Amino acid sequence: MTATTTPEATFGVLPRADGSARYSHAGYTVTGSVNGPIEAQRREEHAYEAHVDVVVRPAAGHGGTRERHLESVLQSSLAQIILVKSFPRSLIQIVLQVENSPENDYVNTKLVQASLNFGIMPALMQTAVLALLSAGVPMRATATGTAVAIMHQDGAKQTMVDPSPRDIEKARSVHVLAFTSQDELLLAESEGDFTVKEWDLVYETARGICCRSRPQAKEGMAMLLDDESTGGPDMRQFLRSTMESKVAADLHWK
Amino acid sequence: MAGPTISLPAPIFAKISPHPFLVRSLTRSTAADHPPCRANGRATQELRPVRFNATSLSHAHGSALVRLGDTTVLCGVRGELLPVERIPQFRPVDKEELRQQGENNNGNCGDAIGRGELRDYDLLVPNIELATGSAPQFLPGVPPTTLAQTLSTRVYSLLHSTGLVQAGDLKIWYSPKEQRRGEDVEMGGTGDKEDGDEEERPVAYWVLYIDLLFVSFDGNPFDVAWAAVVAALRDTRLPVARWDPDREVVVCSKTERRRLNVRGLPVACSAAVFMEKEQSEAGAGPREGGHWLLLDPDRLEETLCKEVITMVVDCSDDETRIKSLEKQGGTLLGRELIRGYAGIAERRWKEVRTAME
Amino acid sequence: MNDRRRINGPAGATLAPFFDDAAPQDLDTRSTRSRPPNATRKLLLKTGVTPSASGSAYLEIETSAKPGLSGLKLSCSVHGPRALPKSAPFSPHIVLSTHVKYAPFATQQRRGYLRDSSERDLGIHLETALRGAIIADRWPKSGVDIIVSIIEGDQDRETSKLQGDEVWDMMNTLSGCITVAAAALADAGIDCVDTVAGGVAALVQDADDGSAPSIAVDPIPSEHKRILAACCVAYLPTRDEVTNLWFRGDLPASDLDLYTSLVGHGIQASKNANRVLIDCLSGTVG
């Protein structure tokens, strides 16, 4: 459960779905499937755009109110990056099954409800994006997300990337940020006790992780990047290289 | 050239074509001294005044009625007892651990442990009921909607993360020594033979059921619900309880009540981003058309906006502390706007504090 | 059992606080009725509390002098008339659906979120009471929803459990529901033949010495030693018609006069409520 494991992803784990992906990082493993565009049910049908339906299933038990909250956050974010206007009156269904989460392995944690939605959010987001790519759903941009915690240790402030549930419990504040591939802030969820200044710091850190490999900015940001290279994995580069290896494998016959 | 002009009364225009209706009211060219306003007559940055009404629900331990324009929420807090025998995996907090924690946190004694207790034993149970006919889309007889569930989760989560209520206030202790000493005096100091090594121990917890009933719904449910929760908790007085070792039950005093110690005053402030274009066409890079940040959106505006932001701040101390930030559903609110939003939330905090007191 | 769509709280069930019964001054809690037997409690009625609904009303019955005895607080919203869903069969008249729900904090025992049988019962009584008042064939193929939330039940905090008189409380609640729903219907502009209002009368015995029971209007169970029978009527004053009558209790079958006079007193109570209703509505219009 060390915070700095490298992310891993596999495509096409579910043969019957239009697209699927398994993603694991920081102790979380999530499998996602995407079906769509398919026919929408009457009550979900929208005359001008596709309805994005997100279902989150916890590692054990049934989903509760916490899952509904996660779903609604993901739904509103993913509907922004999918080109929903291209598929009117249809449905894009995303199912995310949590397979493993570090929350399971310690005492007194209830599975159904807990206030910490935070650790798992980036993993869900990442899986959904990968599964959407695997299904070939047209998107305006991809998205990358990360979790950052601010810890107070021995009187010093410290940011921590991909905190474990234990760290989240001890942290002063926990933040989840997601960026689109055009470096726009797509999602920002924070909880705890922090100031605008601290949030700025978090923003910088998260941006460093999510939006690093921007070719045209590379030279200018080199200095900055060197300073922050300890900051954690490079999510966008990861997304790109995963996709590249998938394409390479798909086109192997050529 | 021009076809027959049809003029529609505003409510019908709003109903059949809400988006152009709102765009029209926001862009209407008016005199210079009269800035364009929203369909509800407010300026874009204008919040509805919040009002707290004292209520006295006799079956609840604390209650509050909060109105924000046409949104009205009633909150009732009721305490029920949870004896420790009923808690699976009950694990009393070690005194030593508590002290250590206290030292580490420079005086914030047992904060994290207390929070852990609240969460592990699930002592706070907030639920939001929208299906009271509070708006045409919320009719009873159906299970809670996604919105109701999301709101409940957000309140639940914020209750824990802000540490508004401390576990210490909800814990009922039994200290055999003290009680025996009291009895001794009464009985004339007969034998302290059985003065065993029984230690002070927790016997039960109060569980706070926080129920929110929407009487009327006109947008911005979270801000109102949260304000009602805070006001009701500040109003809460739990009966003084003690353990009766003979009957082995917790008995509460009928007359004595103790005020719940509510820490801080977090205030939520929400806004929505309204786009001039209903959503930019596929692939269009930078978005065309203007956008407005509408503070405290009403029901019509909420249905037309995708990107929303909620910031919870507490300015009780000198420095503004942000307790929660939620921004989702769009990409327009970037770093600068969010930083600026803290100022708006501060302003709201002052208004709410004045209204509450 | 666990409701997955709500936050449920601890796994082990919690207990309602158990109060120390030692306090001696509380032993003699039975207050006696201060009103004359034919006087109802004061009503407060207000329309338009839920602007997003077609019509709405709020009703509060004054708390009696003793603290701890709560008055009834009801809020009602009306949605409609609106088109029935396509799946519904054709209906030549308006379809009423009534929902009565106690708030979780309305009564001594915490109420769950799912409707229980007493709430369904109240809903059915309310529907029959209103059906007689609405001019139903004016809206074919449409429906109207009438939702009453009981914010605070008419229940004594301490004594009611001892007596097991929930039923009598329910009668008072029903009469309030009828009145508040009539106000909300009028606020929604739904045509009715008359304004309907509820009233309760009970046959009570105040002394132990076997004296003849007397009839009291708008009874509070805790103010009487024993309630033998009670009835709740929904009454249309200008038409002199009763739309719903709920009678409960033990009465000798031979004494028909007693029945009629009990109902008569119920009607009297309903007329009092109607006066408040008319005042409230004419205040809104005028």
Side-chain angles (χ1 to χ4, degrees), chain B residues 100-355:
Chain B
Q100 258 175 17
Q101 185 86 21
E103 278 161 20
N104 283 353
N105 275 7
N106 350 319
N108 261 348
C109 184
D111 237 21
I113 292 177
R115 236 190 292 166
E117 274 182 297
L118 282 181
R119 185 155 53 219
D120 289 348
Y121 309 143
D122 236 345
L123 302 181
L124 303 173
V125 193
N127 269 300
I128 288 178
E129 184 65 286
L130 283 171
T132 55
S134 54
Q137 70 267 41
F138 303 127
L139 291 181
V142 290
T145 52
T146 308
L147 177 64
Q149 293 183 52
T150 305
L151 287 172
S152 298
T153 314
R154 286 169 69 190
V155 168
Y156 179 84
S157 168
L158 197 55
L159 268 173
H160 284 289
S161 73
T162 50
L164 210 57
V165 181
Q166 284 112 77
D169 272 1
L170 303 178
K171 215 187 264 192
I172 297 160
W173 288 92
Y174 171 52
S175 46
K177 280 180 193 151
E178 253 172 56
Q179 256 173 33
R180 198 161 299 140
R181 213 173 298 134
E183 281 162 27
D184 282 355
V185 175
E186 274 168 37
M187 295 189 293
T190 48
D192 30 300
K193 283 162 211 154
E194 65 219 308
D195 198 309
D197 31 28
E198 245 191 305
E199 263 201 19
E200 197 183 30
R201 60 187 167 96
V203 286
Y205 288 89
W206 283 106
V207 174
L208 296 182
Y209 289 94
I210 302 166
D211 294 295
L212 290 145
L213 204 73
F214 270 80
V215 177
S216 174
F217 182 93
D218 189 22
N220 203 357
F222 184 74
D223 287 10
V224 197
W226 179 250
V229 168
V230 174
L233 284 173
R234 282 162 76 102
D235 179 57
T236 300
R237 281 165 189 78
L238 290 173
V240 174
R242 64 181 174 82
W243 175 252
D244 185 337
D246 300 331
R247 281 182 287 181
E248 300 209 314
V249 284
V250 176
V251 288
C252 302
S253 160
K254 259 183 183 172
T255 44
E256 257 183 291
R257 285 175 163 231
R258 199 164 34 86
R259 187 186 271 272
L260 203 65
N261 186 18
V262 177
R263 203 164 51 178
L265 178 66
V267 169
C269 181
S270 298
V273 179
F274 179 67
M275 315 282 294
E276 189 171 351
K277 290 266 163 65
E278 264 192 85
Q279 191 173 29
S280 53
E281 273 312 299
R287 298 189 179 239
E288 305 151 29
H291 66 270
W292 294 270
L293 185 66
L294 305 179
L295 257 58
D296 183 16
D298 67 13
R299 194 154 53 102
L300 172 78
E301 287 160 357
E302 261 180 0
T303 56
L304 298 172
C305 298
K306 292 219 164 102
E307 187 167 8
V308 287
I309 179 169
T310 299
M311 194 183 271
V312 180
V313 294
D314 191 345
C315 319
S316 305
D317 305 327
D318 299 334
E319 200 181 10
T320 302
R321 309 292 304 186
I322 305 172
K323 296 290 183 183
S324 156
L325 169 70
E326 291 176 68
K327 176 224 109 106
Q328 63 193 58
T331 50
L332 259 165
L333 284 170
R335 182 187 194 167
E336 292 309 315
L337 276 167
I338 290 178
R339 265 199 277 196
Y341 194 73
I344 297 171
E346 263 172 58
R347 213 174 70 212
R348 183 55 161 182
W349 184 85
K350 289 191 186 108
E351 280 172 24
V352 170
R353 191 196 48 185
T354 320

Side-chain angles (χ1 to χ4, degrees), chain C residues 4-222:
Chain C
R4 276 190 269 124
R5 298 187 183 97
R6 292 193 172 89
I7 294 169
N8 290 303
T14 54
L15 308 166
F18 173 78
F19 286 99
D20 200 348
D21 42 17
Q25 75 274 17
D26 280 358
L27 281 178
D28 188 32
T29 51
R30 184 165 303 280
S31 55
T32 45
R33 191 178 165 107
S34 49
R35 296 169 283 136
N38 59 350
T40 51
R41 281 173 289 171
K42 222 178 188 174
L43 275 180
L44 175 99
L45 196 59
K46 214 168 94 184
T47 53
V49 289
T50 309
S52 38
S54 323
S56 59
Y58 174 80
L59 175 136
E60 194 174 314
I61 294 184
E62 193 190 48
T63 356
S64 60
K66 186 174 159 282
L69 197 65
S70 71
L72 191 64
K73 294 191 180 81
L74 301 172
S75 136
C76 175
S77 61
V78 169
H79 291 276
R82 51 180 171 189
L84 284 173
K86 282 200 180 123
S87 54
F90 171 79
S91 162
H93 46 74
I94 200 162
V95 177
L96 277 183
S97 44
T98 50
H99 297 260
V100 179
K101 185 78 195 84
Y102 281 93
F105 42 74
T107 50
Q108 201 168 10
Q109 297 291 319
R110 198 183 113 87
R111 293 266 177 169
Y113 276 100
L114 300 173
R115 277 207 296 171
D116 66 12
S117 61
S118 71
E119 288 164 337
R120 278 172 215 283
D121 235 20
L122 283 172
I124 291 165
H125 279 295
L126 179 62
E127 194 199 321
T128 44
L130 297 175
R131 209 191 295 139
I134 292 178
I135 308 174
D137 46 9
R138 207 160 275 186
W139 291 275
K141 300 183 280 183
S142 25
V144 63
D145 291 274
I146 297 149
I147 304 118
V148 180
S149 306
I150 304 170
I151 292 166
E152 189 146 286
D154 200 4
Q155 196 183 44
D156 191 332
R157 196 191 306 165
E158 270 101 32
T159 46
S160 114
K161 203 157 70 185
L162 306 170
Q163 286 184 310
D165 48 16
E166 280 235 315
V167 180
W168 312 127
D169 286 331
M170 256 173 84
M171 283 209 171
N172 279 340
T173 309
L174 176 63
S175 96
C177 287
I178 294 168
T179 313
V180 77
L185 277 175
D187 187 40
I190 292 173
D191 300 356
C192 296
V193 291
D194 195 358
T195 49
V196 64
V200 182
L203 190 68
V204 296
Q205 195 155 35
D206 279 327
D208 274 331
D209 52 4
S211 59
S214 59
I215 293 178
V217 151
D218 190 14
I220 301 175
S222 63

Side-chain angles (χ1 to χ4, degrees), chain C residues 233-251:
Chain C
V233 289
Y235 176 73
L236 304 169
T238 47
R239 296 194 144 204
D240 192 23
E241 281 175 6
V242 171
T243 58
N244 185 47
L245 174 65
W246 185 19
F247 193 98
R248 195 171 172 126
D250 266 334
L251 278 192

